């Protein structure tokens, strides 16, 4: 029995078992990491051969035949002896490729495979996240357009304020997400390759390999960079590419986390008011003790993961700050955690947010009822203006409204009754000249300004061009959420 349950006897990250997509998990897997190391050794050999070093096609073919079949047990045994992960994999790869053994890792330092692999993974991870983010933006834009003119209470200080619309509020979430898309796209587009730089970034070992021919060393750097799928490399590095790169990317991801947390907090507040709900499955249980509960668990999950994501920015900043001179190794263990968890957390947030955005439920009657409790107070200035137009004295009218408002407020606060200010106005003979106008004066749509037009303009001018930029890459289908 113990043998059957062995997989449950060690720590397993919830990001893998519960939250993140299989595709994002694979990017940060050992299989992907170490097979990418081998691909980089092959690219290096091909470029060195093209520039005149004594490397044969047979050696390259031998390495290409063993890119994926990594002996992890043998590598672990080697690392236990050498205490060096890269050399452990060099030795294992060399045993699988005896013909190529003399030229594997030729002239390179550990960061040739370590850092360049990280940059390849960061690029792929950003390429996975961006279409999911734009998928959320696209889905929310449909929601915003659908409810662009549905009035709802606006809130400042979490107190009822001037009316807005459900769609306009959604457009505020989208605007933040657009800023995140821009930041992450800039990170991806600005990302460069480390290339072949040697132990302290001087390329001294490669200069020796090419007998002092600096032009060939530069060509080697350019060729490997192109073969790896990058257009540019960092012109100067220490032993590593600057950890400022990691900080920029993790900061952009943390900023996305803040956006997600803000939006999902809003959803939770609105769910509490029963105005709007996230999807709730037919067999879903909200509470083990309270069968009636419809807890916003998806939004809560997003907030929880986003909070973790936000904290990772400080880790990346501290890692950059403590890189002494050309490099220290105390970045290694931290980056193994920070980079993977930042992307896996962001991926999980977007997967959940896409699911939420495709199934948001609006309750117009509840919204209407909530408006009815507050709108009479908000409409008092309109009532005064109508009375003035009908020949009334503004100061007299103001005092009449003040008294009636306080009486209605007492009914709400002291007796728990509905707001009856409108009924009090109708019953007061003073307001007889405008009784016929009260319905139009109290129409919620007259209190939302240009909200509906703003949504249309925003979607047309700012959202649609970004969605079009990604074309058919946009992720629009919500995957089945894990537990």
């Amino acid at each position: 029995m113990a043998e059957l349950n062995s997989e449950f006897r060690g720590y397993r990250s919830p990001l893998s078992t519960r939250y993140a997509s299989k595709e994002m998990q694979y990017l940060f897997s050992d299989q992907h990491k170490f097979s990418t190391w081998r691909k980089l050794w092959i690219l290096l050999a091909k470029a060195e051969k093209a520039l005149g070093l004594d490397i044969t096609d047979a050696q390259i073919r031998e390495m290409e035949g063993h890119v994926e079949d990594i002996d992890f047990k043998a590598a672990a045994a080697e690392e236990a002896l050498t205490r060096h992960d890269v050399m452990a994999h060099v030795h294992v790869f060399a045993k699988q490729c005896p013909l190529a053994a003399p030229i594997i890792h030729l002239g390179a330092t550990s960061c040739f495979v370590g850092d360049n692999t990280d940059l390849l993974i960061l690029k792929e991870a950003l390429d996975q996240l961006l279409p999911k983010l734009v998928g959320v933006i696209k889905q929310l834009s449909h929601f915003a357009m659908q409810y662009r003119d549905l009035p709802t209470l606006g809130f400042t200080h979490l107190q009822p304020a001037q009316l807005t619309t459900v769609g306009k509020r959604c457009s505020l979430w989208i605007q933040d997400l657009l800023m995140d898309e821009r930041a992450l796209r800039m990170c991806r587009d600005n990302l460069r390759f480390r290339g072949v730089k040697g132990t302290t970034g001087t390329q001294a070992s490669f200069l020796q390999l090419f007998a002092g021919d600096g032009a060939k060393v530069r060509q080697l750097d350019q060729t490997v960079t192109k073969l790896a799928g990058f257009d540019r490399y960092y012109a100067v590095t220490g032993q590593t590419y600057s950890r400022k790169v990691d900080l920029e990317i993790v900061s952009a991801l943390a900023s996305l986390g803040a956006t997600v947390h803000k939006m999902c907090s809003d959803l939770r507040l609105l769910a509490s008011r029963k105005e709007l709900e996230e999807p709730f499955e037919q067999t879903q249980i909200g509470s083990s003790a309270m069968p009636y509960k419809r807890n916003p668990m998806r939004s809560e999950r997003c907030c929880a993961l986003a909070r973790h994501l936000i904290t990772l920015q400080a880790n990346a900043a501290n890692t950059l700050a403590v890189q002494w001179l050309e490099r220290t190794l105390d970045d290694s263990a931290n980056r193994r955690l920070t980079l993977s968890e930042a992307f896996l957390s962001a991926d999980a947030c977007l997967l959940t947010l896409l699911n939420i955005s495709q199934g948001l439920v609006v309750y117009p009657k509840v919204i209407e009822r909530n408006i009815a409790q507050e709108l009479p107070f908000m409409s008092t200035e309109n009532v005064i203006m109508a009375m003035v137009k009908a020949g009334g004295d503004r100061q007299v009218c103001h005092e009449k409204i003040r008294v009636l408002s306080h009486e209605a407020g007492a009914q709400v606060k002291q007796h728990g009754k509905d707001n009856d200010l409108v009924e009090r106005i109708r019953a007061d003979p003073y307001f007889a000249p405008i009784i016929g106008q009260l319905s139009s004066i109290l129409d919620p749509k007259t209190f939302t300004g240009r909200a509906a037009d703003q949504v249309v303009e925003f979607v047309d001018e700012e959202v649609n061009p970004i969605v079009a930029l990604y074309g058919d890459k946009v992720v629009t289908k919500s995957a089945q959420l894990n537990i």
Side-chain angles (χ1 to χ4, degrees), residues 151-351:
T152 189
L153 282 176
F155 285 82
T156 60
H157 313 277
L158 202 54
Q159 302 299 313
Q162 193 174 59
L163 299 191
T164 183
T165 70
V166 172
K168 172 63 190 297
R169 176 178 284 142
C170 179
S171 72
L172 300 179
W173 304 330
I174 298 170
Q175 181 170 248
D176 289 347
L177 291 168
L178 285 174
M179 294 173 70
D180 295 317
E181 184 280 332
R182 181 187 65 194
L184 290 170
R185 176 159 44 90
M186 287 179 62
C187 286
R188 184 198 62 190
D189 293 347
N190 291 334
L191 202 60
R192 302 187 186 188
F193 206 51
R194 177 188 176 274
V196 290
K197 296 297 194 297
T199 54
T200 57
T202 64
Q203 299 179 309
S205 59
F206 294 105
L207 199 62
Q208 289 182 359
L209 278 177
F210 289 98
D213 190 337
K216 282 192 173 181
V217 174
R218 187 178 185 191
Q219 184 62 47
L220 178 70
D221 211 355
Q222 293 170 345
T223 301
V224 173
T225 296
K226 293 290 185 183
L227 289 172
F230 280 81
D231 295 326
R232 297 174 296 171
Y233 55 75
Y234 295 107
V236 292
T237 72
Q239 187 173 89
T240 68
Y241 68 81
S242 172
R243 297 318 184 208
K244 185 82 169 179
V245 176
D246 295 344
L247 176 55
E248 285 186 350
I249 293 173
V250 175
S251 294
L253 293 173
S255 182
L256 170 63
T259 298
V260 171
H261 200 295
K262 195 277 181 191
M263 173 183 167
C264 289
S265 294
D266 285 355
L267 292 176
R268 292 163 67 187
L269 291 170
L270 293 170
S272 175
R273 293 176 56 79
K274 296 181 174 56
E275 293 189 359
L276 187 151
E277 281 185 346
E278 64 178 36
F280 195 90
E281 295 168 21
Q282 190 172 8
T283 59
Q284 184 174 328
I285 296 174
S287 168
S288 61
M290 296 169 280
Y292 61 88
K293 292 290 288 294
R294 293 172 67 94
N295 299 336
M297 55 82 64
R298 290 166 173 80
S299 297
E300 290 171 328
R301 173 183 294 185
C302 280
C303 288
L305 291 169
R307 198 161 63 244
H308 175 62
L309 177 54
I310 292 167
T311 67
L312 295 176
Q313 192 272 347
N315 251 346
N318 281 310
T319 295
L320 167 64
V322 301
Q323 285 300 286
W324 303 344
L325 306 176
E326 278 65 50
R327 192 265 171 103
T328 63
L329 194 61
D330 59 1
D331 69 336
S332 179
N334 190 285
R335 291 176 71 250
R336 290 174 193 264
L337 296 168
T338 302
L339 295 180
S340 58
E341 291 196 358
F343 275 100
L344 291 168
S345 297
D347 182 67
C349 282
L350 290 177
L351 286 177

Side-chain angles (χ1 to χ4, degrees), residues 14-23 25 132 136 264 267 278-281 283-284 295-303 305 344-360 475 477-483:
L15 288 168
S16 294
T17 59
R18 297 177 74 93
Y19 303 131
S21 68
K22 297 299 181 185
E23 294 79 11
Q25 289 182 51
K132 293 174 183 175
V136 173
C264 289
L267 292 176
E278 64 178 36
F280 195 90
E281 295 168 21
T283 59
Q284 184 174 328
N295 299 336
M297 55 82 64
R298 290 166 173 80
S299 297
E300 290 171 328
R301 173 183 294 185
C302 280
C303 288
L305 291 169
L344 291 168
S345 297
D347 182 67
C349 282
L350 290 177
L351 286 177
T352 310
L353 202 56
L354 185 59
N355 180 273
I356 291 171
S357 65
Q358 291 180 331
L360 287 172
V475 176
K477 186 176 181 181
S478 174
Q480 180 67 38
L481 291 182
N482 293 332
I483 299 170

Side-chain angles (χ1 to χ4, degrees), residues 96-116:
Q96 290 177 297
C97 306
L99 185 63
I103 56 95
I104 294 174
H105 199 65
L106 185 59
T109 188
S110 299
C111 286
F112 168 70
V113 288
D115 270 30
N116 283 324

